[in-house]
Amino acid sequence: MTKICDIEVGRTGLGESEAQAAGFDPVTAVVDSTTRAGYYPGAKPIRTKLIAERGTGRLLGAQIVGEEGAAKRIDVLAVALWHETPVEELLNIDLSYAPPFSPVWDPVLIAARKTWQAVEADRSRTEPG
């Protein structure tokens, strides 16, 4: 995690090219959201990218970039990586909500949902019907 002027950047696990180099076949999703509830003063953009293993949906890595309140969210994803958590299990984790700190659906949850949808869409294309 680092900060450059007002921009915070967080990363954990493998990037997409690193996952490929390690022999994984990754699925990714990138989500744009806000760091706070949209109506709350000071809400800033945040971009979250999750990298998961094709087929299993196991989380392989994550990247977050945004302004105040963005980078610290990487901790949730670092714990998920440590426990080899499938993205599907992240869909219903109970992250805190308060308008000054997060929208109702935290960017981590939105990214998990989009990543799981990508895993599921890939499965439906490759499974025999």
Side-chain angles (χ1 to χ4, degrees), residues 53-125:
E53 182 178 30
R54 188 176 307 275
T56 69
R58 177 179 152 197
L59 184 66
L60 299 174
Q63 301 161 9
I64 295 177
V65 63
E67 293 186 38
E68 181 184 356
K72 191 66 177 152
R73 286 179 164 95
I74 206 71
D75 288 347
V76 171
L77 298 163
V79 170
L81 276 170
W82 179 257
H83 291 282
E84 299 182 3
T85 306
V87 175
E88 181 180 27
E89 290 184 24
L90 295 175
L91 299 180
N92 295 308
I93 59 174
D94 187 17
L95 298 179
S96 59
Y97 164 68
F101 307 107
S102 175
V104 171
W105 291 101
D106 191 88
V108 168
L109 296 174
I110 297 168
R113 182 157 309 279
K114 291 293 182 184
T115 306
W116 183 245
Q117 288 171 348
V119 169
E120 287 287 277
D122 184 65
R123 281 182 180 172
S124 67
R125 284 192 300 273

Side-chain angles (χ1 to χ4, degrees), residues 20-40:
Q20 289 169 338
F24 293 102
D25 186 9
V27 173
T28 64
V30 178
V31 173
D32 292 315
S33 186
T34 58
T35 55
R36 300 177 179 168
Y39 63 83
Y40 197 86

